Amino acid sequence: MALIPLQYRLDGPRHAPVVLLVPPFGTKMSVWEPQMPELTRNRQVLRVNHRGHGFSPAPEGPYSVEDLALDILGVLEERGFSRVSAVGAGFGGSLLLWIAANSPRTLERLALLAGTPRTPAMHRWDRIAARVRGTGLDSVTADVVLPWFTPDLTDDRPEVAARFTEDFGGIDAGAFASICDAVSGLDQRNLVAEVRVPTMVVSAAHDPLLPPGHGRRLADGISGARFEVVSGAAHLLGVERADRVNELLVEHVGA
């Protein structure tokens, strides 16, 4: 099992403590732009692109959660970062949960946005994967992108929704399908209890993909975890409600 050299970017003051940001699959590291001004004030911020996203290579599948998490650990090792705080959104959070349970010394503090301990069966990511392989990425764009924003954002800031839709279209189809397969059977309920780092779980009130009940169950399983719900946002809450999400992240990982 070879590690894939992910594309990454490091910003912020040299020698400051490091915060690692892991995006949801289907989005690139630019999903974190709204967080950068706040987090780079007194932190180095390390962002990554998943396999097949941006300039990260897209090897043949299948992929496992472990493979994708080890890719991220590979970036940390390459940079010589032995201990970081980390923020994961959507499936990015699942990779950090794997790291928190399997490489506990790596993470100092953890924030999980729009997370879940297991993928709901009704999501049928296996079907999305099959469609991508059969008829291409365009055939699933609407299904994948629709839950990311509330109708309010789509109406008031259509250029934001358009940019994320365009970014999605640039992802490697094979890699995306392989990630969908990895997500479709994801069940980390056994890992959650092993997380020992100070953790904050943040759900979006209007997330049609992973409503707040998922975040609540995730937080309930992690000893001492803090749980917050952000109003006025769907799945990509860090974009739609950057103001509130930034407050929470600065408090938890950037203080």
Side-chain angles (χ1 to χ4, degrees):
M1 182 182 58
L3 287 188
I4 299 306
L6 298 183
Q7 181 191 12
Y8 67 85
R9 180 172 168 159
L10 190 61
D11 295 280
R14 285 182 63 184
H15 309 303
V18 177
V19 178
L20 164 69
L21 304 181
V22 184
F25 76 110
T27 73
K28 299 192 301 194
M29 61 172 78
S30 55
V31 74
W32 299 109
E33 286 298 338
Q35 281 64 57
M36 296 303 288
E38 295 287 344
L39 290 179
T40 52
R41 278 183 192 167
N42 56 5
R43 290 287 183 275
Q44 288 188 84
V45 178
L46 177 65
R47 292 180 285 170
V48 296
N49 275 332
H50 297 299
R51 297 178 178 196
H53 294 57
F55 293 106
S56 289
E60 283 284 301
Y63 305 163
S64 67
V65 170
E66 181 179 354
D67 295 334
L68 298 164
L70 289 172
D71 288 347
I72 292 169
L73 285 173
V75 174
L76 295 178
E77 198 172 326
E78 183 188 330
R79 295 298 314 197
F81 297 145
S82 55
R83 199 162 163 77
V84 300
S85 290
V87 184
F91 181 60
S94 307
L95 303 185
L96 291 176
L97 269 177
W98 189 94
I99 291 171
N102 289 282
S103 180
R105 293 202 177 118
T106 303
L107 301 182
E108 194 162 18
R109 300 180 78 79
L110 181 58
L112 303 168
L113 308 181
T116 183
R118 67 166 170 165
T119 302
M122 64 187 194
H123 281 190
R124 298 311 307 260
W125 287 108
D126 53 339
R127 285 189 189 162
I128 298 259
R131 263 165 56 203
V132 170
R133 292 189 177 104
T135 50
L137 210 55
D138 288 352
S139 66
V140 303
T141 301
D143 295 315
V144 173
V145 173
L146 198 63
W148 287 355
F149 300 114
T150 64
D152 284 351
L153 179 129
T154 314
D155 292 344
D156 300 343
R157 296 154 66 194
E159 72 289 349
V160 174
R163 180 167 59 85
F164 279 92
T165 304
E166 188 182 338
D167 278 356
F168 178 73
I171 293 168
D172 181 90
F176 185 76
S178 293
I179 293 174
C180 287
D181 284 335
V183 173
S184 81
L186 181 79
D187 187 345
Q188 296 185 309
R189 287 173 297 176
N190 60 329
L191 290 187
V192 170
E194 295 175 39
V195 177
R196 295 279 179 268
V197 296
T199 301
M200 176 176 68
V201 177
V202 186
S203 292
H206 308 292
D207 185 348
L209 202 59
L210 295 171
H214 290 274
R216 163 69 68 193
R217 283 189 287 280
L218 182 56
D220 284 349
I222 299 172
S223 175
R226 170 182 174 185
F227 179 61
E228 296 282 347
V229 177
V230 171
S231 62
H235 193 60
L236 294 189
L237 63 161
V239 177
E240 192 159 3
R241 283 297 315 278
D243 53 340
R244 180 64 183 133
V245 170
N246 289 353
E247 274 174 17
L248 291 167
L249 292 182
V250 166
E251 208 178 300
H252 188 69
V253 298

